[in-house]
Structure formats: C-alpha cells, structure tokens
C-alpha cells in the first residue's frame, strides 16, 4: 500500500469514526440533559451532527475527499466510470471498508466515553415503509447536493452546505436522515438515542442505495457536464487514483 493510499484510507476511517462518535455521543448527551423532551433531544443531536460533519469535511476533504459514506463513494465511481476515469475497484473497496470500520469504532468510542458497555446492540426498531421512503429521499438529496457542488466547481461550499443539509434533513425526513450505510451499521452498536436495531439495518441500507441511484440520475440529468478543471473536481468529495494533489 502506498503512503498516499494509506493516508486516504486512514482519513476515511478517522472521519467516519468521528462522525458516528458525534452522532451517538450527542444523542446520549441530549437524552441525559433533556429527558422527556424528544423534540429538544433531536434538535441537540442534529445541531451537533451538522457542525461535526462540516468540520470533518473541511479537515479531511483535502486528504481523501471526505466521502465518509459508501453511497458517495459508489456514485463517485459510477460517474467517473461514465467519463472513462473510474478509480480502481480496490480503492473503492478500501474506502468502503474503512468507512464501515470507522463507523463501528465511533459507536464504540461514544459508548465508552459515556460509561456504557463498549457494544450494546440497539433495540430501537426502525422497520416501517415510511421510514424507508424517508431514507430514500434523504440519500437522494445528499447525492444531488454533493455532486452538484462538484460539477459546478463549488466545492469550497461543501462543508457548510453538506452540514446544513444533514441538519435540515434530521427534521424534514421521517427517518431523521441516516443517509449513510456505514453510519447506519455503526448506529446498530449502541442502544442509545441514535441507535437502530440490527434487524432494521438491511432495509435502511437498501433504501439508501435506492436513494443513491436516484440522486445519481438527477445529477446526470441536471448537470450532464462538469464545470471547471478536472483538478478542481478532484479536490473535495471525490476519490482519485493519482497522486497529483500530493506532489
């Protein structure tokens, strides 16, 4: 493994871990500080998550693209494949493995920080068709936003825009916008405010994949040709198989 690839994979692992730590940790803190007030708990959880996500994209974007999400990685691969410049399959697989491992690590870290068992399988059932629709909508919107920014060379706005979207989607989707298979898996490892029962995870991921596909189609329809230089498109939220940015 090259040093550059190692840095990218570590950045994806670290970013996914810290993202889930923020999601789960703020959920635990919200439940403890605002017992009995679900609306306030959700507000606190959403606010912390959107800020953490914005910071992580800002810090890790120049290293790995700050995908932090297997659906983003998969759509990036598909769009680049259509343009004849797809990243190597090994890079895509490495990103996904790093993201999932990081998400699980982040849930464990949050549990331990709040003096809970390192792993406590969630008992929060989230198996319902309206929640799957919510996940489809949340993920499609996220993909459209991310790749609209990339294709219009507005990636400097990505930290604020993506953070704001996820914060809003906590409230306008029925599922509270997981929109990320790695995060969904990680949240199965904590029986706290942000948890999801392991039995509910596969359907959530299925809805996210459908949403990712819909979002990718919207990108192709609305933004058929990227604007700006190829290098600008590579800087944030996209994987690359070259080491140009590191030279």
């Amino acid at each position: 493994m090259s040093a550059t690839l190692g840095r990218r994979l570590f950045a994806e692992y670290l970013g996914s871990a810290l993202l889930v730590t923020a999601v789960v940790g703020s959920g635990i803190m919200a439940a403890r500080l605002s017992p009995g007030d679900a609306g306030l708990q959700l507000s606190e959880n959403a606010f912390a998550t959107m800020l953490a996500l914005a910071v992580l994209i800002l810090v890790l974007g120049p290293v790995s693209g700050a995908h932090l999400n297997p659906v983003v990685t998969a759509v990036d691969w598909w769009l680049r494949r259509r343009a004849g410049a797809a990243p190597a399959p090994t890079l895509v697989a490495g990103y996904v493995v790093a993201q999932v491992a990081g998400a699980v690590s982040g849930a464990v870290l949050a549990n331990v920080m709040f003096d809970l068992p390192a792993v406590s399988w969630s008992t929060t059932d989230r198996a319902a068709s309206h929640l799957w629709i919510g996940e489809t909508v949340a993920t499609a919107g996220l993909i459209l936003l991310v790749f609209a920014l990339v294709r219009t060379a507005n990636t400097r706005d990505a930290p604020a825009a993506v953070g704001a979207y996820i914060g809003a989607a906590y409230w306008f989707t029925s599922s509270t916008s997981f929109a990320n298979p790695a995060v969904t898996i990680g949240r199965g490892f904590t029986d706290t405010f942000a948890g999801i029962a392991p039995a509910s995870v596969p359907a959530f991921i299925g809805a996210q994949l459908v949403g990712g596909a819909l979002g990718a189609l919207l990108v192709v329809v609305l933004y058929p040709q990227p604007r700006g230089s190829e290098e600008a498109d590579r800087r944030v939220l996209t994987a690359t198989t070259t080491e140009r940015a590191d030279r």
Side-chain angles (χ1 to χ4, degrees), residues 139-210:
T139 309
L142 176 63
I143 293 301
L144 176 59
L145 169 62
V146 166
F147 291 98
L149 291 170
V150 170
R151 292 201 161 198
T152 58
N154 288 325
T155 52
R156 288 186 178 181
D157 298 327
V162 175
Y165 174 80
I166 291 298
Y170 259 80
W171 283 94
F172 73 72
T173 64
S174 57
S175 63
T176 67
S177 183
F178 287 44
N180 184 327
V183 168
T184 303
I185 292 171
R187 289 170 68 163
F189 285 73
T190 180
D191 192 19
T192 60
F193 180 82
I196 176 173
S200 300
V201 167
F204 256 55
I205 292 177
Q208 291 157 3
L209 295 177
V210 172

Side-chain angles (χ1 to χ4, degrees), residues 38-62:
L40 183 55
Q41 291 170 5
L42 186 62
S43 295
E44 294 161 346
N45 190 210
F47 185 66
T49 299
M50 64 184 286
L51 293 181
L53 181 56
V55 170
L56 290 170
I57 293 172
L58 182 66
V59 172
L60 299 175

Side-chain angles (χ1 to χ4, degrees), residues 19-233:
L19 175 58
V20 175
T21 299
V23 172
V24 174
S26 63
I28 296 171
M29 184 66 81
R32 291 183 178 182
L33 295 180
S34 307
D37 191 334
L40 183 55
Q41 291 170 5
L42 186 62
S43 295
E44 294 161 346
N45 190 210
F47 185 66
T49 299
M50 64 184 286
L51 293 181
L53 181 56
V55 170
L56 290 170
I57 293 172
L58 182 66
V59 172
L60 299 175
V63 181
S64 68
H67 293 197
L68 313 182
N69 187 332
V71 175
V72 173
T73 299
V75 171
D76 176 67
W77 175 84
W78 183 73
L79 291 174
R80 289 185 176 278
R81 183 173 180 271
R82 293 182 76 250
T90 52
L91 179 63
V92 174
Y95 265 47
V96 172
V97 170
Q99 291 156 0
V100 173
V104 173
S105 299
V108 171
L109 176 59
N111 287 338
V112 172
M113 279 201 303
F114 285 90
D115 196 28
L116 298 172
V119 174
S120 55
W121 301 112
S122 176
T123 57
T124 302
D125 179 61
R126 300 181 189 265
S129 59
H130 68 282
L131 300 181
W132 304 333
I133 293 171
E135 278 301 284
T136 301
V137 170
T139 309
L142 176 63
I143 293 301
L144 176 59
L145 169 62
V146 166
F147 291 98
L149 291 170
V150 170
R151 292 201 161 198
T152 58
N154 288 325
T155 52
R156 288 186 178 181
D157 298 327
V162 175
Y165 174 80
I166 291 298
Y170 259 80
W171 283 94
F172 73 72
T173 64
S174 57
S175 63
T176 67
S177 183
F178 287 44
N180 184 327
V183 168
T184 303
I185 292 171
R187 289 170 68 163
F189 285 73
T190 180
D191 192 19
T192 60
F193 180 82
I196 176 173
S200 300
V201 167
F204 256 55
I205 292 177
Q208 291 157 3
L209 295 177
V210 172
L214 291 175
L217 291 176
L218 289 173
V219 171
V220 171
V221 171
L222 296 174
Y223 302 94
Q225 297 296 329
R227 297 177 188 171
S229 70
E230 180 179 295
E231 184 63 25
D233 287 342

